[in-house]
Amino acid sequence: MTTQPSTSAGSKAPPRQDAPDPSVLLGEWLNAQRDAAGGILGINVSEQPDGTVVVRVFGTGDPEPRDWGPVEAVVYTKEDERSAAWAFRAVYDFGFLRTVLTAYQNSGVLVMTSYNIFSDDSGRADYWTREFFHRIKEQP
């Protein structure tokens, strides 16, 4: 995938005082099965000064991993723990392919699913994956 994904632009309001803390999601995550990974090798999840959570995916590539670029993520809380985010959703639109990533953190593991929808009339079947990531570096 060599095209840059679309990102949402525009000014952002200051972070809400009641915004959930995304710290359990932040950092650099590496695919636990990177030798068998067919798509995503690693993920960087960061928080911007305005409180926006940004996801940057690194996909398989030769000779270097492909940087999918940054996209804003929507964070989610558990129903009974509204102060802490534990999941996110991020969308990449490559023109011919739309990839919706959903992930949640469970006991130090980031469990991510991807929903991949082709829009190029190629006849390829849309597909779903589930992958597991471990954190290699926390965001300062």
Side-chain angles (χ1 to χ4, degrees):
M1 295 182 189
T2 56
T3 49
Q4 286 295 317
S6 63
T7 59
S8 32
S11 61
K12 289 290 177 191
R16 295 185 346 239
Q17 294 299 325
D18 62 341
D21 176 11
S23 60
V24 299
L25 300 170
L26 304 179
E28 293 181 31
W29 300 84
L30 186 63
N31 193 319
Q33 295 180 320
R34 60 193 162 278
D35 294 336
I40 297 176
L41 296 174
I43 304 169
N44 183 295
V45 183
S46 62
E47 183 178 21
Q48 302 303 300
D50 68 356
T52 301
V53 173
V54 174
V55 171
R56 183 174 217 129
V57 169
F58 296 90
T60 56
D62 187 25
E64 296 292 322
R66 291 194 175 125
D67 182 351
W68 291 13
V71 293
E72 290 182 20
V74 176
V75 296
Y76 297 92
T77 64
K78 292 183 180 180
E79 187 173 2
D80 58 344
E81 295 178 32
R82 299 288 171 108
S83 63
W86 75 287
F88 69 80
R89 177 180 51 83
V91 179
Y92 282 89
D93 189 340
F94 298 100
F96 73 99
L97 174 70
R98 184 170 187 254
T99 299
V100 179
L101 303 175
T102 61
Y104 67 94
Q105 191 277 136
N106 185 11
S107 301
V109 173
L110 190 70
V111 181
M112 189 182 72
T113 57
S114 70
Y115 302 85
N116 301 277
I117 304 103
F118 289 100
S119 56
D120 61 357
D121 297 324
S122 64
R124 292 178 281 186
D126 299 339
Y127 65 97
W128 172 91
T129 66
R130 181 175 63 190
E131 298 176 273
F132 301 90
F133 296 80
H134 65 277
R135 190 171 10 220
I136 57 171
K137 184 178 178 184
E138 292 189 29
Q139 184 184 31

